[in-house]
Amino acid sequence: MTLPTIKALAISEEITVAPRKRWFHHAKGRQAVLVNVLLSLGAITMLVPFLWMVLTSLKSPAELAQFPPTVLPQEWMWSNYAATLDAAPFGLYFRNSLVIATTHTLITIALGAMAGYALARIYFRGREAIFLAFIAMLMIPTYTKIVPQFLLVKFMPLFGGNDILGQGGSGWLDTWWALIIPGGLSASAIFLFRQFYLSLPKDLEEAARIDGLGEFRIFAQIYTPLIKPAIATVGLLTFQESWNNFLWPLLVTTSSDLRVIQVGLAVFQQLDNTQWQYLMAGTTMATVPMVVLFIFAQKYFIQGFTNAGIK
Amino acid sequence: MEVKSRMRRTASVAMVALMGLGLAACSAGEADADLNPDEVSGEISLLTPIFEGSPGQDLLEDELLPQFYEEYPNVTVNVDYTTYGNLNEKLTTAVVSGLVPDVMLMGVGWIEAFADKGVLADLGELGLNEADLKESYTDEIVEAGMWDGNVYAVPIMLDTRFGVARMDILKEAGYDSPPSSWEELIEIAEATTVRSSNGSLERAGFDMMSLDARQAFETMLFSAGGALFNEDATAPAFNSDEGVAALGLMADLVNKYEVEDIGFTSTDDIVNPLINGRAAMGIAHNNLWTQALEADETVLDNLEPFVIQGDASGMFFGGTLATVANNSKNPQAARALLEFLSSPDAALAANEQRGNVPALTELLDSDYVQSNRFVQFAMENLEVAQREGGPSQWLEVRGDFAPAVQAALLGQKSAEEALDDLAALVQTSIDR
């Protein structure tokens, strides 16, 4: 066998590479390659931790102990998922998380949209001051609100054995009220809705009034259908935040029946020993609803933008 | 010599057993005298950072509580499970709202803060006193449950930190036993450290970074003969000569002797480096035994625990203690539950479930302790074990230790500067 000469190689390279070179030198082509490379890098960066989580959830403790670590499990331990589900009543926790996150999302969309609409489109005295108060609320760290919020819940009058002054009982503690009401609406949701309502033209409102529509119908039938992107965004963010909430459900509940999935996952993380395979299996299962929801919400998100653009 | 040693050991075990029996009888007697099970009644709540997870919950609800209800049929216990990671938040919000659980399990170093705030009941008033407890627990462990001269907590389980050596690696390097002094520790650590040709670390000679930096420092501090605070816990003592020497040694092990690099291991590692051979020696938690049992049983024969020996013997202990709320509406029922949870059978079951070290000296003879070499080692050396904590501000300041230790390890500050700065911070908190 003879080796190809340098000249022959050069000719063959010219033949095969030349068209690609031309394409590459094209400005749009270069830009597309760059964008694709960057997007691929971004996608890989996002995907690697997720893949690592799934692969870790399928390894045995012995394999997790190996150094250097393996990438793919030598033995695929699907039983880790069954063991994780056996470790705690995850079905119950999952249901609780779903109920709380769905209720938070519905409350936030319904009340947040109304509040955002009122702040954006109804003129009343003190409107700007109220809006500034909402902005100020965005700046208060969650942790500083925990104790006051806890006290509000504990001293809720006429609940949990409390009298009219909120004394004597446990208020809303260890009830669905405590899990749902305090997190039902956020200042950030109202802020987002306000900004979207502000961006809509005033002509629609005037035309609707000429047609005899009342304020609520203008809100519900004219403006709100135009802010589907806002609804999708706020809904997704609210659901995600509520689904991932850990500290508040832990603090206000004492019975296992009211615990949520994030609190349930904590059982695998003891002070000096973490059962990584179970923690990752549980986390993978807890992630699935969010991923599914995002896929669906993304679709409506884009549709909403398209509709808004057409109108 | 061997016979003598065996006789001494048998005698000591017999003594411990007798003391244990004596205390058990005493406790039971007192309980019987003070608490008539039929007259003790009420609904009480229990907040627990142990027993979480399915096996723990099953143990508590299916085995232990039914035994308790058998003895105290008129008491109902509502359990609130949490983890140590979130116990402080649970306790703090409970205290602020006034809804303090009747029985609370909490850690060593935590009692001072909650006793000082008046949250905890003085157990002396409920019939449990220091002298009785010291008959069945090591003095230092009883003192972990005391504040201002009064008993506020009874220990259930301990978790300890001590030195562990991989004897297969040490033997390869020509050493037959773990180090018995700081000098030997440095020598063996240097001899067992492995670096690749480009200088990157492949095996640490002595690992100090796969456990909390504060606890690593405390273990070394105790081995230097130092203490965290002065006797009445009104001033820091960790910046003494002993403290400076301990942190100086830790910094030297990294920067001068180069037996470990910063970031080579961390507390978030999936497995302890002693299990997979990334470290030849290290400071480890006693549950390393159960971790190794799960991950790689073959390594168990090579794991050798040792007390880190400087001018003193360095061993650290934390643990879980049972307390009663000062404002409990059913203090007798709460006391009954506390006594039950700290009784030998219940405490042994809880320790076995978590792979921890029983606080009760009499449990040294139990099958569980005898079958777990690290737990056995810990119990045999509890006399030299020291705890963290001291002032009521401990929970506020303990988070400041790790940054100070890390500053010294990174060479940003000398050991003396790091500890003096930390001491100033801690003193401000104490004086506040």
Side-chain angles (χ1 to χ4, degrees):
Chain A
M1 202 170 90
T2 54
L3 290 169
T5 61
I6 292 172
K7 194 178 172 187
L9 276 174
I11 290 166
S12 73
E13 195 179 35
E14 198 180 325
I15 291 164
T16 53
V17 174
R20 202 178 299 160
K21 266 189 178 170
R22 275 200 298 276
W23 172 79
F24 186 77
H25 283 123
H26 194 271
K28 275 189 180 172
R30 271 208 312 272
Q31 206 176 355
V33 168
L34 192 67
V35 168
N36 280 317
V37 167
L38 287 174
L39 286 175
S40 301
L41 281 175
I44 289 167
T45 312
M46 299 285 180
L47 276 174
V48 164
F50 190 78
L51 277 175
W52 181 85
M53 174 180 78
V54 176
L55 292 173
T56 303
S57 74
L58 293 166
K59 290 180 182 176
S60 66
E63 196 179 343
L64 285 171
Q66 282 178 20
F67 187 81
T70 54
V71 178
L72 292 177
Q74 290 159 346
E75 186 189 352
W76 296 73
M77 298 286 291
W78 296 103
S79 57
N80 284 346
Y81 281 80
T84 303
L85 290 171
D86 281 346
F90 277 101
L92 178 74
Y93 296 162
F94 187 88
R95 186 206 69 180
N96 292 348
S97 286
L98 196 66
V99 168
I100 295 164
T102 307
T103 317
H104 277 168
T105 307
L106 293 175
I107 293 175
T108 299
I109 290 174
L111 299 184
M114 286 186 199
Y117 176 82
L119 286 171
R121 308 224 67 99
I122 300 175
Y123 292 96
F124 59 91
R125 189 175 294 179
R127 188 176 74 156
E128 292 305 315
I130 291 174
F131 176 63
L132 285 175
F134 275 111
I135 297 290
M137 279 167 71
L138 290 174
M139 295 172 193
I140 303 172
T142 308
Y143 279 84
T144 60
K145 292 186 285 186
I146 288 280
V147 169
Q149 214 167 33
F150 187 88
L151 293 178
L152 282 173
V153 164
K154 195 262 171 184
F155 295 112
M156 191 56 62
L158 305 176
F159 279 90
N162 278 351
D163 58 20
I164 190 76
L165 297 172
Q167 304 295 315
S170 58
W172 277 351
L173 290 178
D174 208 29
T175 65
W176 284 100
W177 297 107
L179 290 166
I180 290 171
I181 301 299
L185 190 55
S186 68
S188 59
I190 295 171
F191 172 75
L192 274 173
F193 276 124
R194 177 193 179 268
Q195 297 310 101
F196 270 88
Y197 280 116
L198 267 184
S199 68
L200 298 175
K202 199 173 180 338
D203 304 356
L204 291 171
E205 181 188 339
E206 285 166 355
R209 285 194 202 286
I210 290 167
D211 287 345
L213 264 64
E215 198 66 54
F216 187 77
R217 287 186 68 189
I218 295 172
F219 157 73
Q221 293 182 332
I222 306 296
Y223 278 130
T224 301
L226 296 177
I227 60 154
K228 281 176 187 163
I231 293 171
T233 308
V234 171
L236 190 68
L237 291 176
T238 306
F239 193 93
Q240 184 202 20
E241 197 177 326
S242 181
W243 184 264
N244 290 335
N245 198 356
F246 170 79
L247 187 60
W248 182 251
L250 177 83
L251 293 179
V252 296
T253 59
T254 53
S255 38
S256 276
D257 294 351
L258 291 174
R259 288 281 156 92
V260 296
I261 199 153
Q262 303 299 341
V263 177
L265 286 174
V267 301
F268 301 119
Q269 231 173 342
Q270 293 173 356
L271 193 60
D272 294 292
N273 188 18
T274 300
Q275 293 167 296
W276 287 101
Q277 69 279 22
Y278 300 143
L279 182 64
M280 291 300 110
T283 311
T284 304
M285 288 189 278
T287 310
V288 170
M290 278 313 306
V291 173
V292 170
L293 192 77
F294 181 77
I295 291 166
F296 281 105
Q298 191 185 34
K299 186 179 158 195
Y300 291 118
F301 193 80
I302 295 163
Q303 275 180 355
F305 265 123
T306 314
N307 290 343
I310 288 166
K311 282 172 183 172
Chain B
M1 186 84 169
E2 200 185 323
V3 175
K4 238 184 193 176
S5 153
R6 202 181 301 145
M7 278 175 64
R8 205 182 303 136
R9 186 179 154 78
T10 312
S12 67
V13 167
M15 253 182 73
V16 166
L18 278 173
M19 274 167 56
L21 279 173
L23 179 84
C26 174
S27 302
E30 274 176 12
D32 288 340
D34 296 340
L35 298 175
N36 180 346
D38 291 330
E39 286 173 10
V40 177
S41 63
E43 193 170 336
I44 54 172
S45 51
L46 164 69
L47 176 64
T48 168
I50 56 174
F51 300 115
E52 82 280 23
S54 185
Q57 204 165 333
D58 290 349
L59 171 68
L60 183 64
E61 291 179 8
D62 298 344
E63 287 182 41
L64 299 182
L65 285 181
Q67 288 172 31
F68 175 73
Y69 291 142
E70 209 170 295
E71 197 175 350
Y72 295 96
N74 302 321
V75 178
T76 307
V77 182
N78 299 315
V79 188
D80 184 3
Y81 298 93
T82 185
T83 60
Y84 259 113
N86 304 97
L87 181 63
N88 200 6
E89 285 91 339
K90 286 284 282 188
L91 283 170
T92 307
T93 44
V95 169
V96 169
S97 70
L99 278 180
V100 183
D102 298 277
V103 178
M104 292 161 280
L105 306 189
M106 57 178 80
V108 167
W110 295 50
I111 307 300
E112 296 90 329
F114 291 98
D116 190 48
K117 286 187 176 74
V119 175
L120 306 181
D122 177 354
L123 297 180
E125 289 171 10
L126 294 176
L128 292 168
N129 63 59
E130 181 185 352
D132 285 345
L133 289 172
K134 282 187 172 172
E135 282 177 28
S136 46
Y137 300 94
T138 308
D139 288 6
E140 179 88 7
I141 289 158
V142 174
E143 280 150 23
M146 294 180 65
W147 172 247
D148 213 11
N150 299 316
V151 176
Y152 288 94
V154 179
I156 294 177
M157 60 173 61
L158 305 176
D159 46 285
T160 50
R161 316 287 188 282
F162 42 75
V164 175
R166 275 284 298 256
M167 287 313 296
D168 51 338
I169 298 173
L170 262 63
K171 277 177 185 160
E172 267 177 34
Y175 297 94
D176 288 334
S177 56
S180 57
S181 65
W182 277 10
E183 291 73 27
E184 270 187 34
L185 182 107
I186 295 166
E187 184 188 319
I188 301 175
E190 278 191 295
T192 51
T193 300
V194 177
R195 287 184 184 273
S196 66
S197 53
N198 64 6
S200 66
L201 188 62
E202 290 184 344
R203 185 173 68 205
F206 187 70
D207 170 50
M208 300 169 289
M209 293 171 199
S210 54
L211 84 160
D212 184 88
R214 179 186 84 244
Q215 294 172 349
F217 167 67
E218 285 167 340
T219 310
M220 297 306 284
L221 170 73
F222 300 147
S223 82
L228 280 168
F229 295 95
N230 64 358
E231 268 189 32
D232 55 0
T234 52
F238 52 77
N239 56 337
S240 60
D241 290 346
E242 291 85 359
V244 172
L247 188 54
L249 173 67
M250 291 173 75
D252 282 350
L253 284 168
V254 173
N255 302 309
K256 184 176 167 188
Y257 305 113
E258 297 183 338
V259 302
E260 184 166 42
D261 290 345
I262 302 281
F264 180 68
T265 64
S266 85
T267 50
D268 293 328
D269 281 355
I270 283 182
V271 71
N272 190 289
L274 287 158
I275 293 176
N276 57 19
R278 293 180 74 219
M281 295 185 294
I283 306 172
H285 186 285
N286 54 265
N287 75 8
L288 182 69
W289 183 266
T290 36
Q291 283 181 46
L293 202 62
E294 200 178 45
D296 182 9
E297 232 174 295
T298 59
V299 86
L300 289 173
D301 287 341
N302 295 318
L303 293 176
E304 186 65 30
F306 65 96
V307 171
I308 296 173
Q309 195 66 43
D311 285 344
S313 303
M315 193 166 121
F316 164 92
F317 80 88
T320 301
L321 303 98
T323 64
V324 169
N326 197 22
N327 65 355
S328 171
K329 285 179 184 158
N330 298 297
Q332 295 305 317
R335 177 195 148 181
L337 181 62
L338 174 140
E339 285 186 346
F340 172 78
L341 290 174
S342 56
S343 66
D345 287 346
L348 179 64
N351 276 280
E352 198 167 356
Q353 190 262 315
R354 285 180 71 93
N356 262 344
V357 179
L360 271 169
T361 320
E362 68 174 275
L363 294 176
L364 176 62
D365 280 342
S366 63
D367 290 343
Y368 159 65
V369 176
Q370 293 296 320
S371 67
N372 184 319
R373 200 145 50 88
F374 279 18
V375 167
Q376 193 183 349
F377 174 83
M379 288 196 76
E380 285 169 351
N381 290 283
L382 282 181
E383 290 288 340
V384 300
Q386 292 185 64
R387 67 188 175 97
E388 61 181 4
S392 61
Q393 296 81 5
W394 175 250
L395 285 178
E396 290 168 39
V397 301
R398 65 180 189 154
D400 297 326
F401 276 69
V405 172
Q406 283 153 2
L409 297 186
L410 287 164
Q412 293 165 339
K413 290 180 183 178
S414 70
E416 193 172 3
E417 279 170 348
L419 291 177
D420 282 346
D421 290 351
L422 175 64
L425 210 64
V426 171
Q427 188 67 63
T428 308
S429 288
I430 291 175
D431 295 341
R432 199 178 292 140

